[in-house]
Amino acid sequence: MDYKELSFTLSNAADYQRDLLINTLAEIGFDTFEETEAGFKAFCPAADFNQQQISEVLKEYEKKFSVSYTGKTIPHTNWNEVWESNFEPLEISKDCYVRATFHPAKPGFKYEIIIDPKMAFGTGHHQTTAMMMQWMLKENFQGKSVLDMGCGTGILAILASKLAATEVFAIDYDPLCFESTEENARINSVNNITAFCGSKEIIPSRKFNVILANINRNILLEQLENYAEALEEKGLIFLSGFYAGADFDKISDKALTLNLKYEGSKTDANWMAIKFLKR
């Protein structure tokens, strides 16, 4: 899948104004954002890119602050080379070591995860993935059933398995992510992960002890009711992929209507991860 990358430059924009623009872009199909010194980068599948929508969005924000952007298409065939040149090994909470297949092992860590990322999202480097892993390393997964929504590379599902979860179901709508999860599970000698290609409609008709969902605000708001239905009483759900502020408020408000009790949050560079308990 080719992706469209837009690099936005902002002048005289407050943080909340930048966040509002990011939220608006998420509403029209952009699913990944990366902060830069000048502003931020926004990514969406090239097939979903709509120039007219971008122009209409910016007309409103140009009245409030200076904003410009440049764009380029990132071909799917370039991602392996990009990842291999930029993906460095990573330590999470001093307990987990994440490396690619082309990095040497590093003894001394309780958990090692080997990821061949390709284009699938989730190597632990993004703040949202790292915060989810930090939460997980503090929880007891022994004997638990786990659902990982928007699994990407499968990194969270693999960590759940290494934390002694009994069974893990991993779901992503992108065929490449589905394939990447199965491949990375094999690389890590994990045999209790079942991967599915799809979305909320293929969540198994059963209850889970733990649900992990590191996606984006819009999908979380759309699917949170499905997650709550699949979570057993006293079960835990961890969410990330959104910003502090308006995103947090909307997700928390939605969670309250679904009998999900706020248990805590983490913040890193304005990204957030939240923990809820089903009452």
Side-chain angles (χ1 to χ4, degrees):
M1 182 193 306
D2 292 349
Y3 258 68
K4 195 75 174 181
E5 174 192 306
L6 301 188
S7 296
F8 287 86
T9 299
L10 309 182
S11 298
N12 303 317
D15 287 347
Y16 81 91
Q17 292 175 316
R18 177 203 59 198
D19 293 346
L20 286 173
L21 175 55
I22 288 174
N23 288 339
T24 304
L25 292 171
E27 291 171 354
I28 62 171
F30 286 83
D31 56 21
T32 305
F33 301 90
E34 176 186 331
E35 293 188 29
T36 65
E37 290 187 5
F40 63 90
K41 293 181 180 180
F43 302 84
C44 76
D48 296 340
F49 179 73
N50 186 313
Q51 181 67 61
Q52 183 176 349
Q53 282 186 320
I54 296 294
S55 299
E56 291 173 355
V57 165
L58 293 186
K59 278 182 183 178
E60 294 301 316
Y61 286 94
E62 285 170 347
K63 300 173 185 177
K64 304 170 184 176
F65 54 85
S66 175
V67 54
S68 61
Y69 73 91
T70 58
K72 65 180 181 180
T73 299
I74 306 176
H76 161 62
T77 52
N78 287 348
W79 279 89
N80 284 352
E81 180 180 351
V82 170
W83 276 115
E84 290 197 13
S85 64
N86 292 297
F87 180 23
E88 295 295 334
L90 181 70
E91 299 178 14
I92 303 289
S93 300
K94 298 182 180 180
D95 289 322
C96 183
Y97 183 65
V98 182
R99 66 179 178 90
T101 49
F102 46 85
H103 294 137
K106 187 175 182 180
F109 286 84
K110 191 172 183 179
Y111 308 103
E112 180 185 65
I113 298 178
I114 305 170
I115 294 294
D116 185 5
K118 294 187 168 63
M119 189 182 169
F121 177 81
T123 60
H125 288 75
H126 195 274
Q127 293 94 331
T128 59
T129 311
M131 287 188 292
M132 292 286 279
M133 296 177 73
Q134 290 164 6
W135 275 123
M136 293 174 68
L137 288 164
K138 292 182 178 180
E139 296 294 333
N140 177 15
F141 277 76
Q142 177 115 24
K144 302 290 180 65
S145 59
V146 179
L147 173 64
D148 180 9
M149 293 298 298
C151 56
T153 61
I155 187 170
L156 299 184
I158 292 167
L159 179 57
S161 178
K162 288 180 177 285
L163 290 169
T166 301
E167 54 182 351
V168 184
F169 291 78
I171 297 176
D172 203 295
Y173 76 95
D174 188 337
L176 184 61
C177 293
F178 163 73
E179 295 170 3
S180 183
T181 295
E182 291 198 319
E183 179 180 348
N184 287 323
R186 288 193 295 270
I187 291 172
N188 286 273
S189 300
V190 168
N191 58 15
N192 64 342
I193 294 176
T194 304
F196 298 93
C197 187
S199 189
K200 62 182 182 180
E201 73 281 352
I202 60 171
I203 295 176
S205 299
R206 50 160 298 170
K207 300 292 185 180
F208 294 89
N209 301 117
V210 181
I211 296 179
L212 312 167
N214 180 22
I215 312 180
N216 64 54
R217 185 200 68 172
N218 290 342
I219 293 178
L220 291 175
L221 289 172
E222 175 196 347
Q223 299 187 0
L224 192 54
E225 184 174 356
N226 302 90
Y227 305 162
E229 290 176 357
L231 188 63
E232 71 168 18
E233 187 177 347
K234 303 300 182 184
L236 295 175
I237 181 168
F238 298 88
L239 307 176
S240 194
F242 52 88
Y243 283 99
D247 286 0
F248 170 75
D249 293 339
K250 289 184 178 182
I251 290 172
S252 295
D253 289 345
K254 179 74 172 181
L256 284 175
T257 69
L258 300 171
N259 212 28
L260 298 174
K261 178 186 175 185
Y262 172 80
E263 291 282 294
S265 63
K266 295 180 180 292
T267 306
D268 188 351
N270 211 37
W271 291 98
M272 286 198 77
I274 314 177
K275 174 184 176 181
F276 290 103
L277 171 73
K278 185 172 181 179
R279 291 181 283 194

